[in-house]
Amino acid sequence: MRILIVGAGAVGGYFGGRLAEAGRDVTFLVRPRRAEQIRASGLRIISPHGDATIRPNLITASDVRSAYDIVFLSVKSYGLADAIDDFAPAVGPRTVILPVLNGMRHMEVLEHRFGKKPLLGGVCLVATQLDEEGRIVQLADFQSLTYGELGGKQSPRLETVDQALRGVGFDTSVSFHILQDMWNKWVQLASLGTITCLLRGNIGEIVAVPGGADLSLAALRECAAVSAACGYPPSTKFLEEKKQQLQTAGSSLTSSMYRDLTRNAPVEVDAILGDLLERGRKLRIPTPLLKAAFVNLSVYQRARLT
């Protein structure tokens, strides 16, 4: 299958790079500056699973002239609108769009533009970031990609997508409850992002001070309550696992928003916190910690633009 990876950043670059390394037919749709960087030095991955330098196929938006079988979309939420305009010519009648963005708003945006038919749901779990040299650095050893039909059923196209993506070095799985999986990840990211960004520390630093663990668990309860009110209640097993993560002494666990914050980079405050906060407000779910973190990061985001 012809796979178009939209962007070659920390997430798309990692998964797309591993696919290309394994010999899949992968093309990266990138901005001219990133294309120049990769052509000069290669797509470089630094990882506990093995370093790699790949010389992938690259195109820019003006080069998209035919449909692809899979469009893998992993851009940051604030880059979604521009990315859609760039890859739209690559979407044909049989194209599958596999987005792995954070939150749920992107699904509504994509459906509005392309309809529901081409969409799969997706969840990726990986901790990566670009360093100053443009290398993709993997910060922890977990790396998984989960995908499924929004209706929760098996389908021939899902089987074909699974065949194209599996067996290349990262974990893959087909889900028959992908929307719940996506909400679960949202709850995890929002609660972790709320507490680490609000208190400016990793989980180990937060739980080491009086009241830190209590606030962490309170953030999780708020986010889980919104998810449940929206029709996607997290399971008891999921909540127990997240409670354990948020109370682990000495843990270096942080959120991607916190890592972006410490680098003075843009943060996905609207997609991860703002959208969840608004859904909770409409359903009258009290979320004071979520609101405090949203306001805090919104002030930071505005200050970056001045």
Side-chain angles (χ1 to χ4, degrees):
M1 300 187 78
R2 298 179 68 226
I3 304 171
L4 183 67
I5 308 293
V6 182
V11 175
Y14 185 79
F15 286 108
R18 291 306 192 194
L19 286 164
E21 185 184 26
R24 302 299 197 264
D25 186 354
V26 171
T27 299
F28 287 88
L29 173 59
V30 294
R31 300 291 183 188
R33 182 177 178 183
R34 182 63 168 152
E36 182 179 336
Q37 186 179 49
I38 293 174
R39 288 189 178 113
S41 304
L43 181 69
R44 294 174 292 172
I45 296 173
I46 309 299
S47 165
H49 296 283
D51 298 347
T53 299
I54 301 122
R55 300 285 179 177
N57 298 322
L58 301 173
I59 59 173
T60 57
S62 61
D63 301 320
V64 183
R65 298 187 178 90
S66 62
Y68 285 75
D69 298 303
I70 301 173
V71 173
F72 182 83
L73 181 61
S74 63
V75 297
K76 294 286 191 178
S77 59
Y78 44 76
L80 178 60
D82 289 341
I84 287 175
D85 289 338
D86 289 347
F87 77 75
V91 179
R94 298 184 179 179
T95 300
V96 174
I97 302 174
L98 175 55
V100 292
L101 283 74
N102 296 322
M104 293 296 295
R105 181 185 291 171
H106 64 281
M107 299 300 291
E108 299 165 358
V109 174
L110 289 166
E111 182 178 347
H112 179 76
R113 179 68 177 267
F114 301 105
K116 186 175 286 188
K117 181 182 176 182
L119 298 181
L120 293 181
V123 172
C124 74
L125 297 177
V126 68
T128 50
Q129 66 182 27
L130 291 183
D131 67 9
E132 294 180 355
E133 299 178 36
R135 300 180 303 177
I136 299 160
V137 180
Q138 188 173 11
L139 305 175
D141 63 358
F142 58 86
Q143 47 176 16
S144 67
L145 189 59
T146 303
Y147 33 82
E149 293 283 1
L150 300 181
K153 297 181 180 180
Q154 181 62 281
S155 69
R157 72 171 186 173
L158 183 58
E159 292 178 2
T160 305
V161 167
D162 183 45
Q163 290 173 5
L165 300 181
R166 71 187 180 200
V168 302
F170 52 79
D171 298 328
T172 60
S173 61
V174 171
S175 171
F176 301 111
H177 39 74
I178 192 64
L179 289 176
Q180 182 68 62
D181 296 335
M182 293 168 70
W183 273 90
N184 283 354
K185 183 184 178 184
W186 195 7
V187 168
Q188 176 185 2
L189 289 178
S191 55
L192 183 60
T194 289
I195 204 67
T196 56
C197 292
L198 196 58
L199 300 184
R200 296 295 197 273
N202 63 36
I203 289 302
E205 292 167 337
I206 291 168
V207 302
V209 300
D214 292 339
L215 283 179
S216 297
L217 296 182
L220 176 62
R221 286 194 297 269
E222 287 184 11
C223 297
V226 176
S227 183
C230 289
Y232 297 92
S235 68
T236 300
K237 179 181 178 182
F238 171 85
L239 291 175
E240 288 303 318
E241 289 176 352
K242 301 312 156 191
K243 286 178 183 178
Q244 182 63 36
Q245 290 178 358
L246 292 175
Q247 298 181 90
T248 302
S251 171
S252 60
L253 180 65
T254 61
S255 66
S256 58
M257 281 201 302
Y258 176 75
R259 293 192 295 272
D260 289 337
L261 178 66
T262 59
R263 294 165 52 226
N264 196 35
V267 292
E268 294 185 284
V269 58
D270 292 323
I272 297 178
L273 302 186
D275 190 27
L276 193 64
L277 180 66
E278 179 61 16
R279 293 175 196 244
R281 185 192 66 79
K282 290 179 178 178
L283 295 169
R284 300 178 183 274
I285 306 298
T287 53
L289 288 175
L290 184 62
K291 183 176 182 178
F294 171 74
V295 172
N296 182 296
L297 290 178
S298 296
V299 171
Y300 159 82
Q301 195 91 302
R302 287 195 178 192
R304 288 191 71 259
L305 301 176
T306 59

